[in-house]
Amino acid sequence: EAGVAQSPRYKIIEKRQSVAFWCNPISGHATLYWYQQILGQGPKLLIQFQNNGVVDDSQLPKDRFSAERLKGVDSTLKIQPAKLEDSAVYLCASSSFRGGRHRNTIYFGEGSWLTVV
Amino acid sequence: DAKTTQPNSMESNEEEPVHLPCNHSTISGTDYIHWYRQLPSQGPEYVIHGLTSNVNNRMASLAIAEDRKSSTLILHRATLRDAAVYYCILRPPLKGAQKLVFGQGTRLTINP
């Protein structure tokens, strides 16, 4: 079974520029998450989708961050304009209700590393 | 979300057992205890979870205190590949898809 795919793996941009990250979840997983992980800290949830609807975006800085999940499959996270403090790893994850004891286990991608200079 | 407390770092030797503690004194009666780990330059991965009874799987064992206010993740024979940050996370019972709320975790170093 293919895992959660993310791209690009690494990105360096200047402050005030824009950037977009793409995520393809595990096939059949209805729930998709975007997390931000700043160096030395645990991941922090930015937004959670159930199919193509938003369940939780309480910690998404909506003045500069946006995310969409068209057709309930792939998702894109955009930052515009970027700030220095947005330098972090952006992790996409997905989960499913199906699967017995491991339903709702969350599977993470390798992350997209963003450096803002 | 109920809070967990873990040591910032621990160190062990290869091929020895490792016991990673987690305190969760405010755990509710229905919260599950989950452990995830994050290898260098990787996203977190599921390790194990439990409610009241001790649990074993191919990766690790989870020992849960009788009062459920603490738990211990046990790696029976650590390898260099087990060097990672280990997160202990409490999750309420399944009522819809639920996020994971991460703390700082424990950074485990394995010496050859």
Side-chain angles (χ1 to χ4, degrees):
Chain A
E1 182 181 74
V4 176
Q6 292 189 243
S7 68
R9 189 87 163 92
Y10 304 96
K11 190 76 176 178
I12 301 174
I13 62 172
E14 295 182 350
K15 59 184 180 184
R16 292 187 288 275
Q17 286 187 326
S18 63
V19 63
F21 301 113
W22 172 83
C23 173
N24 180 235
I26 292 173
S27 178
H29 281 194
T31 309
L32 185 146
Y33 313 79
W34 282 103
Y35 281 81
Q36 179 193 57
Q37 185 172 25
I38 293 172
L39 188 65
Q41 299 181 16
K44 180 184 83 172
L45 181 72
L46 291 176
I47 190 167
Q48 176 183 339
F49 292 93
Q50 180 71 19
N51 296 308
N52 58 354
V54 175
V55 173
D56 183 349
D57 64 355
S58 57
Q59 298 198 80
L60 186 74
K62 298 180 184 64
D63 58 335
R64 298 182 301 104
F65 286 64
S66 64
E68 61 182 8
R69 191 182 184 198
L70 300 176
K71 301 181 182 177
V73 182
D74 293 4
S75 177
T76 304
L77 176 70
K78 296 180 181 177
I79 307 174
Q80 181 178 14
K83 292 185 175 181
L84 296 177
E85 59 260 37
D86 298 332
S87 294
V89 180
Y90 292 86
L91 295 160
C92 181
S94 67
S95 67
S96 169
F97 283 107
R98 306 189 190 99
R101 190 171 190 274
H102 291 284
R103 67 190 186 284
N104 214 29
T105 293
I106 297 183
Y107 298 88
F108 287 81
E110 291 188 320
S112 292
W113 295 62
L114 174 66
T115 301
V116 182
V117 298
Chain B
D1 298 305
K3 187 174 171 56
T4 63
T5 303
Q6 299 178 252
N8 287 334
S9 62
M10 290 184 64
E11 197 168 327
S12 185
N13 297 319
E14 197 175 11
E15 299 185 5
E16 291 184 354
V18 180
H19 291 232
L20 295 162
C22 180
N23 288 320
H24 28 78
S25 58
T26 60
I27 189 171
S28 78
T30 53
D31 282 344
Y32 283 78
I33 301 159
H34 286 249
W35 285 81
Y36 278 70
R37 73 179 184 179
Q38 188 170 20
L39 302 172
S41 302
Q42 301 289 319
E45 64 177 355
Y46 169 82
V47 178
I48 200 166
H49 77 280
L51 183 62
T52 55
S53 303
N54 294 345
V55 183
N56 300 296
N57 66 21
R58 63 174 181 82
M59 290 180 72
S61 296
L62 177 59
I64 302 172
E66 197 170 331
D67 63 5
R68 298 200 344 114
K69 294 184 183 231
S70 66
S71 60
T72 303
L73 180 71
I74 302 165
L75 307 178
H76 293 286
R77 198 162 170 265
T79 68
L80 296 177
R81 198 193 170 275
D82 291 320
V85 179
Y86 287 79
Y87 297 98
C88 171
I89 301 167
L90 303 182
R91 296 179 88 187
L94 187 64
K95 291 181 187 175
Q98 299 156 329
K99 63 189 178 186
L100 290 169
V101 179
F102 289 85
Q104 292 287 92
T106 296
R107 181 173 298 278
L108 176 64
T109 300
I110 304 296
N111 299 315

